[in-house]
Amino acid sequence: MSKLSDAVKALINAGHALPGYTRAGAQVRPALERLASDAGEKGIGLPAWVTVSTAVSATMNCPEAMTQVFELANTSNKQSQRTVAQNAELVREVGLKCISFNGIPRTINTLGAFWSSLPTDVAESLSTKPTRALTPANLDARQADGLALWDSVYLGFERSLLAKLARSHPDLPVHILHGHYATLLSNPRAGARAPEPVGRVLTSLVAVACLRAQTGVGPQVVSHVFGLRKAYTNGDAHAEGEFPVEGGEWLASDDGNLWLLESVDKLVSAIGAGEGTTFAPGLRPKL
């Protein structure tokens, strides 16, 4: 196999191309602490604020912030009935679902670094059993689950939006439904569930947090803010197999939407050291 020349390797890793992780500066932990404290004052439970802050950290390519979210969750007064392993599994599951909004590379890198940062006993206690493999026995059910989630998020526009996507490319709705909503964003059914499932409401929080932190995708932010609201107005947040999300109904209100978006913005500012998002800011000028 051929080797990369020194010149090619140097250009791949050039500073202006931002090839590595975003480091968590000293301002990140206080920002996370403020978010957690404010969430508690608003009646927002640990799973919700951990989900939002993890999704922002993953979008910003900052695994150190993800680790700080995990550590903060473990010391939170709200976590008395949760184990350290549960909190680690929640961060992992949120990071996995970020694939649907951020793409695969950032999830590969941030989850890998997050796992490496965990104490050995915690890392060794995490699940090693996959839950989303497709088989002939579950294929129809998983596809039905994906379509049901799509319909829940986009109720009122669910079929017209699929038709619009198909005009862009006939396989676009196929991939979105079967590659994301069916196999990733909807949860495996009972008996194959992840150790810490991210349900209907938390999945909407993942979507809003990732997309807001990216910037440039306002129409999708609008869609998933409405998707969060529809989880409650249409009763899907309370469907069989769903777990109650403390503060979720308030987050689906006008005031809750504002808090959610502003909290994402503040965390992006902290992780980005005031320079904004790292998702796709363009190459920095060569100095």
Side-chain angles (χ1 to χ4, degrees), residues 38-101:
D38 196 26
E41 292 174 2
K42 298 289 193 299
I44 299 167
L46 183 147
W49 67 255
V50 166
T51 293
V52 171
S53 52
T54 297
V56 173
S57 301
T59 307
M60 294 292 287
N61 201 30
C62 189
E64 292 175 354
M66 293 171 71
T67 300
Q68 291 180 14
V69 171
F70 163 70
E71 292 170 347
L72 185 58
N74 295 335
T75 58
S76 170
N77 291 332
K78 290 285 188 179
Q79 90 95 9
S80 57
Q81 295 183 348
R82 294 179 59 87
T83 67
V84 172
Q86 280 181 299
N87 292 332
E89 293 283 15
L90 176 58
V91 171
R92 288 209 306 177
E93 193 70 11
V94 170
L96 185 71
K97 289 200 173 189
C98 286
I99 288 174
S100 292
F101 309 104

Side-chain angles (χ1 to χ4, degrees), residues 21-250:
Y21 301 124
T22 302
R23 301 303 300 269
Q27 70 280 0
V28 172
R29 185 177 290 273
L32 290 169
E33 291 172 346
R34 286 191 296 272
L35 187 150
S37 175
D38 196 26
E41 292 174 2
K42 298 289 193 299
I44 299 167
L46 183 147
W49 67 255
V50 166
T51 293
V52 171
S53 52
T54 297
V56 173
S57 301
T59 307
M60 294 292 287
N61 201 30
C62 189
E64 292 175 354
M66 293 171 71
T67 300
Q68 291 180 14
V69 171
F70 163 70
E71 292 170 347
L72 185 58
N74 295 335
T75 58
S76 170
N77 291 332
K78 290 285 188 179
Q79 90 95 9
S80 57
Q81 295 183 348
R82 294 179 59 87
T83 67
V84 172
Q86 280 181 299
N87 292 332
E89 293 283 15
L90 176 58
V91 171
R92 288 209 306 177
E93 193 70 11
V94 170
L96 185 71
K97 289 200 173 189
C98 286
I99 288 174
S100 292
F101 309 104
N102 295 340
I104 295 172
R106 290 198 174 205
T107 285
I108 290 175
N109 294 342
T110 54
L111 282 187
F114 173 70
W115 185 88
S116 295
S117 75
L118 295 173
T120 301
D121 61 326
V122 176
E124 291 179 348
S125 72
L126 301 184
S127 173
T128 59
K129 180 181 179 181
T131 61
R132 288 180 166 84
L134 292 177
T135 68
N138 71 15
L139 181 59
D140 289 345
R142 298 301 291 131
Q143 290 180 339
D145 291 342
L147 185 59
L149 177 58
W150 173 272
D151 289 349
S152 173
V153 172
Y154 294 103
L155 184 65
F157 307 93
E158 62 272 32
R159 294 299 175 269
S160 62
L161 182 53
L162 288 175
K164 182 178 180 180
L165 292 171
R167 290 196 297 270
S168 299
H169 191 294
D171 282 326
L172 183 55
V174 173
H175 180 66
I176 290 172
L177 283 175
H178 300 320
H180 290 276
Y181 279 77
T183 56
L184 179 54
L185 294 178
S186 66
N187 285 324
R189 298 190 178 193
R193 282 189 177 275
E196 191 66 18
V198 173
R200 172 66 179 84
V201 173
L202 295 184
T203 296
S204 281
L205 294 181
V206 173
V208 173
C210 287
L211 296 169
R212 177 68 174 189
Q214 285 179 30
T215 73
V217 287
Q220 284 73 30
V221 175
V222 170
S223 293
H224 285 283
V225 167
F226 274 117
L228 173 61
R229 293 180 173 211
K230 291 173 187 176
Y232 287 96
T233 58
N234 299 318
D236 297 312
H238 308 296
E240 183 180 355
E242 292 290 333
F243 295 97
V245 175
E246 185 180 359
E249 195 157 6
W250 182 77

